[in-house]
Amino acid sequence: MGKELERDLGLPAVIAISIGAMIGSGIFILPGLALKMAGPAVIVAYLLAGLLVLPAALSKSEMATAMPEAGGTYIYIERGMGPLLGTIAGVGTWFSLSFKGALALVGGIPYLLYLTDLPETPVALALAALLIVVNLVGAKQTGRLQVGIVVVMLAAMAWFVVGGLPATNAASYGDFFAEGPGGLLAATGFVFVSYAGVTKVASVAEEVEDPDRNLPLGILASLGVTTLLYVLIVVVMVGVTEPGGLSESVPMIDAAEAALAWPGVVAVIVAAVLALISTANAGILSSSRYPFAMARDQLAPPSLTEVHDRFGTPARAITLTGAVMLVLIAFVPVSEIAKLASAFQIVVFALVNGAVIAFREGAADYDPSFESPLYPWTQVVGILGGLLLIGFMGTVPLVGAAVITVGSVLWYFYYARERVEREGAATDVVRRSVGRQAVERTRSLFEDVEGYEVLVAVTEDTSEARERSLLRIAADVARENDGSVTVVQFDEVPDQEPLEHASEVQSAADVEFERRTEDLTEAFDVPVHYGEIVSHDVRHAVVNFAEHEGADFLVMERSNEPLYASLLGSTSEWITRNAPCDVLLVEERDLDAVESVSVVADQGPFDPQKIAVANALASETGSPIDLVYRVDADATEAQRATIDEYLAELEALCSVPVERSVVESDDRASDFVDVTDPADVLVIGTDGGRLRGRLFGRPADRIVDTVDCTAIQVQPRESERPGPLRRIVERFVF
């Protein structure tokens, strides 16, 4: 039996840890800056920010009870949302904590130097360098010191509130909402980072006694206490100073001088310095662990996991984090640091809420002992509320959040994607949703059909054997649903020849077409109509006739076009793209008896039309269907299980026996040939663009050209084809 951590953290300890992680720059630095944005309504901004943090607090409490050993926001998001969003969360959280640490130093130095004339930036840089060294050599802040700091801070703040409330002036709250809703929301987003530490206690969930009770209670209690404390402190700050008289650098000292005696001012200075140095040190410590954890998960270079031989600390991760903080302190104004820190924290908390939805809806082994109430509306409010705040915070946080997000995505695809084989619970949620939608589309197609009207388009060059095969396939499709077949020979004449004259002249080929078609109609137990159409443009004539007749399917002979057709376009391809109905391109190879029908998926779910065509052919010929689906050799168990369930649901819809062939392959064409060769008829799609397909080879065309059986390529009508976004999602997750 392995070692386990003793669960000795009770509810009071959880509350103390959570409050200690929140108290800092949010109240000692930001009120003066936020007052410029919202006026006296900054009081409401702190309350609103606390409420918008609540969903993330509930979400992280839930995940902490389900995965108490994991710890860390990045881990939850990476496991829930997948490596891509895990990369965004890891980088975003790293930046957010680095910015928060830098904010604590930049904003805390004015308190430290309040009684001196020393330059602030050099002192802040020196202190930051000292803290970096402290973290590098592994000196740890003891638990007693942290508790002492929390006690001093709370005592000073309580003194500030109790002593300051009687000194407030009602006139200071005049024009409460003078800056309007925009100013209020901007200030709310600005002070959002004040509550960033509320969920930090979740990282030690394994040490919490009775975590399903104490963890959520502790987080909620600490959030409530801190929110109330922040609001009361800001009420005093606004109420004891003249309008616009609150300093942007040391707002709490200004308020203390106006409301308290000199000992109260000293207490505020001591509490501020202790809190801000503690916050900065914790920022270096915690933020440096994110590149370390990402490197361990192969999302960052492995060098970041290297531990110093002597000190036993992740030296490179700490150095990288420290370098970022030094740059921020030296070059970025405190207000912009605060905005960026809040913006990144909002993005991370939105992902935290999304991770809970992913775990709940996915097939992951997820069994929390505490469940967030009002799911999923709590999470939706948290996501939408946070994103709304970013929109009111100005250009810098928007650009910063966008740059970090885009940069993280590029980094994932450039560096991490080939190194990581995991997928998040959210991917399985989307995959299952895609599968359900595909099954429902197929079911609707089967249930809503009233009779297939099939148009067979031939030309003077179509041989009797080819026409027979086309008509046989069309008849099988139509007969299954009490439909009919129309066979039309489309003759194209030069533009110089009048159509009226051409239609009156009947060639030997026309006579032969009518004779053989009349003979063929007697061989199939389905209504067959036939005729001829003369036009100057065959492709437009075919499309117009199909639309006029209300055809459900257009059956044509598949033709091998020359290479230049990829640039100029071919007749059959133009018809396929513009037809008002589903198109069946038939590559007939001595089709005698049909004893098996194989259907191949083109990277994603099966098109319902392919299943419908295969089911109709198999029903009429008494043959089984083989559903052939390709998966990558490194596909996850969740992916395989979802695909198996999807194929089973399709099997239940078909009216004939169905076999399922799951092919493991990185090369679709070569492996599919081995599976489909025994089939008499292969039903496949027409995927790929014209130029790309002709020059590089579309997988569907490569398969059709390689197999020995008759192949039917199905192209759904325009209204039934998936859009680009849906197709990308289907190919990415399915």
Side-chain angles (χ1 to χ4, degrees):
M1 181 176 177
K3 294 182 179 179
E4 294 184 0
L5 295 175
E6 183 180 355
R7 294 187 178 274
D8 57 0
L9 295 179
L11 182 59
V14 172
I15 295 174
I17 292 172
S18 191
I19 291 177
M22 280 186 281
I23 302 294
S25 57
I27 198 62
F28 289 108
I29 301 171
L30 302 186
L33 296 166
L35 184 64
K36 305 294 183 185
M37 301 177 183
V42 66
I43 299 168
V44 180
Y46 272 90
L47 176 61
L48 186 57
L51 292 175
L52 289 176
V53 167
L54 181 59
L58 291 169
S59 294
K60 197 165 179 183
S61 297
E62 175 178 319
M63 289 186 290
T65 63
M67 298 172 286
E69 77 289 345
T73 302
Y74 153 73
I75 295 295
Y76 297 146
I77 295 174
E78 201 274 346
R79 300 298 185 262
M81 307 292 281
L84 173 58
L85 292 181
T87 301
I88 297 174
V91 174
T93 305
W94 175 58
F95 269 104
S96 178
L97 292 172
S98 299
F99 277 44
K100 188 180 180 184
L103 174 65
L105 286 173
V106 173
I109 289 301
Y111 284 88
L112 181 63
L113 303 180
Y114 183 67
L115 302 177
T116 70
D117 293 326
L118 294 176
E120 294 178 359
T121 300
V123 174
L125 289 171
L127 184 56
L130 175 62
L131 292 175
I132 293 169
V133 172
V134 167
N135 278 272
L136 282 173
V137 300
K140 295 183 179 179
Q141 181 176 278
T142 66
R144 289 185 179 180
L145 177 59
Q146 180 64 21
V147 171
I149 291 175
V150 172
V151 169
V152 171
M153 287 190 299
L154 292 178
M157 291 179 175
W159 187 359
F160 180 85
V161 171
V162 173
L165 279 175
T168 56
N169 183 1
S172 299
Y173 306 110
D175 295 328
F176 197 79
F177 291 104
E179 302 301 326
L184 173 61
L185 291 175
T188 302
F190 183 71
V191 302
F192 193 89
V193 73
S194 305
Y195 300 94
V198 65
T199 60
K200 188 176 180 181
V201 70
S203 62
V204 294
E206 197 173 0
E207 302 171 57
V208 176
E209 177 185 333
D210 193 8
D212 56 330
R213 172 186 177 273
N214 290 336
L215 203 57
L217 275 181
I219 289 177
L220 296 179
S222 62
L223 179 60
V225 170
T226 304
T227 302
L228 178 61
L229 190 59
Y230 279 174
V231 169
L232 290 176
I233 290 173
V234 177
V235 166
V236 173
M237 284 186 178
V238 175
V240 300
T241 57
E242 296 293 329
L246 202 61
S247 167
E248 294 185 12
S249 58
V250 286
M252 214 165 172
I253 291 180
D254 291 343
E257 288 178 338
L260 304 177
W262 178 246
V265 176
V266 173
V268 166
I269 293 175
V270 172
V273 171
L274 287 175
L276 296 172
I277 291 178
S278 174
T279 300
N281 184 60
I284 297 174
L285 178 66
S286 57
S287 61
S288 64
R289 295 323 187 245
Y290 281 86
F292 181 84
M294 292 178 66
R296 190 174 52 197
D297 285 345
Q298 298 182 310
L299 296 178
S303 60
L304 292 174
T305 63
E306 293 181 6
V307 176
H308 195 278
D309 293 336
R310 179 180 176 186
F311 303 121
T313 57
R316 293 194 177 186
I318 293 174
T319 302
L320 178 62
T321 301
V324 171
M325 289 182 63
L326 290 174
V327 170
L328 292 172
I329 293 170
F331 300 108
V332 183
V334 63
S335 61
E336 302 304 331
I337 295 177
K339 288 180 181 179
L340 289 167
S342 281
F344 296 147
Q345 195 61 56
I346 289 171
V347 171
V348 169
F349 276 7
L351 291 175
V352 166
N353 286 310
V356 166
I357 297 175
F359 278 122
R360 289 263 199 121
E361 302 299 326
D365 184 13
Y366 182 70
D367 185 23
S369 54
F370 165 77
E371 292 188 351
S372 173
L374 301 179
Y375 171 86
W377 303 113
T378 299
Q379 286 67 34
V380 171
V381 168
I383 294 171
L384 297 181
L387 297 180
L388 174 66
L389 291 184
I390 293 182
F392 283 91
M393 291 175 65
T395 304
V396 171
L398 275 174
V399 172
V403 168
I404 293 300
T405 301
V406 172
S408 300
V409 171
L410 293 177
W411 173 261
Y412 173 78
F413 283 103
Y414 171 76
Y415 177 84
R417 186 180 183 185
E418 299 300 323
R419 294 172 168 83
V420 180
E421 297 180 358
R422 298 181 307 278
E423 66 175 17
T427 303
D428 193 56
V429 173
V430 176
R431 183 186 299 117
R432 288 174 178 273
S433 176
V434 168
R436 285 194 297 268
Q437 292 174 14
V439 170
E440 288 306 314
R441 290 196 300 270
T442 307
R443 180 179 287 108
S444 297
L445 185 64
F446 278 35
E447 293 177 351
D448 296 343
V449 66
E450 297 179 355
Y452 287 144
E453 301 301 323
V454 185
L455 169 63
V456 179
V458 298
T459 68
E460 291 181 332
D461 297 327
T462 304
S463 67
E464 181 175 358
R466 286 296 176 91
E467 184 180 343
R468 172 182 288 275
S469 294
L470 296 178
L471 183 54
R472 175 182 177 179
I473 291 172
D476 287 343
V477 171
R479 189 185 303 108
E480 171 67 13
N481 294 282
D482 299 323
S484 64
V485 177
T486 300
V487 184
V488 177
Q489 177 174 290
F490 291 88
D491 299 333
E492 185 172 85
V493 297
D495 292 340
Q496 297 84 352
E497 183 177 354
L499 291 178
E500 184 177 355
H501 174 266
S503 62
E504 293 174 351
V505 177
Q506 194 171 41
S507 65
D510 296 335
V511 174
E512 173 61 18
F513 165 74
E514 292 182 0
R515 181 199 62 76
R516 71 174 185 248
T517 303
E518 184 176 5
D519 293 340
L520 289 174
T521 58
E522 298 177 359
F524 301 103
D525 184 20
V526 63
V528 179
H529 314 284
Y530 61 91
E532 300 170 61
I533 293 180
V534 179
S535 70
H536 294 308
D537 187 341
V538 165
R539 60 184 189 177
H540 279 91
V542 172
V543 169
N544 291 337
F545 186 82
E547 184 172 9
H548 180 267
E549 294 298 312
D552 296 298
F553 287 97
L554 169 61
V555 179
M556 300 170 52
E557 183 180 4
R558 177 178 180 264
S559 58
N560 293 317
E561 305 291 348
L563 181 62
Y564 64 78
S566 63
L567 300 174
L568 304 179
S570 66
T571 297
S572 61
E573 192 169 32
W574 188 93
I575 294 173
T576 300
R577 291 200 316 271
N578 293 276
C581 57
D582 302 332
V583 179
L584 275 58
L585 298 178
V586 180
E587 179 73 38
E588 194 274 334
R589 295 186 176 98
D590 299 325
L591 182 63
D592 294 326
V594 178
E595 297 181 358
S596 61
V597 179
S598 292
V599 190
V600 174
D602 304 329
Q603 267 190 312
F606 290 91
D607 287 325
Q609 289 78 4
K610 288 195 295 187
I611 302 297
V613 169
N615 188 67
L617 289 174
S619 297
E620 290 302 312
T621 58
S623 57
I625 295 176
D626 186 10
L627 299 179
V628 184
Y629 196 94
R630 183 190 71 87
V631 298
D632 293 329
D634 58 358
T636 64
E637 290 301 320
Q639 181 179 1
R640 295 174 188 273
T642 303
I643 290 173
D644 189 61
E645 291 173 11
Y646 164 67
L647 295 178
E649 291 187 72
L650 289 183
E651 178 182 352
L653 293 178
C654 295
S655 57
V656 297
V658 174
E659 299 176 0
R660 290 174 267 165
S661 301
V662 178
V663 181
E664 290 189 5
S665 167
D666 292 324
D667 182 354
R668 298 168 58 201
S670 60
D671 288 286
F672 276 156
V673 169
D674 295 336
V675 177
T676 57
D677 257 351
D680 296 305
V681 176
L682 170 65
V683 181
I684 195 170
T686 59
D687 63 316
R690 183 172 66 210
L691 180 60
R692 173 182 173 276
R694 293 299 181 188
L695 296 182
F696 302 103
R698 292 179 291 202
D701 285 337
R702 286 161 49 206
I703 295 172
V704 171
D705 291 336
T706 307
V707 297
D708 293 330
C709 61
T710 294
I712 303 174
Q713 290 184 269
V714 181
Q715 173 70 20
R717 69 192 71 190
E718 181 67 31
S719 61
E720 298 296 332
R721 298 173 199 169
L725 180 60
R726 194 180 91 191
R727 197 62 174 163
I728 291 173
V729 171
E730 289 178 347
R731 293 192 177 213
F732 181 75
V733 303
F734 218 77

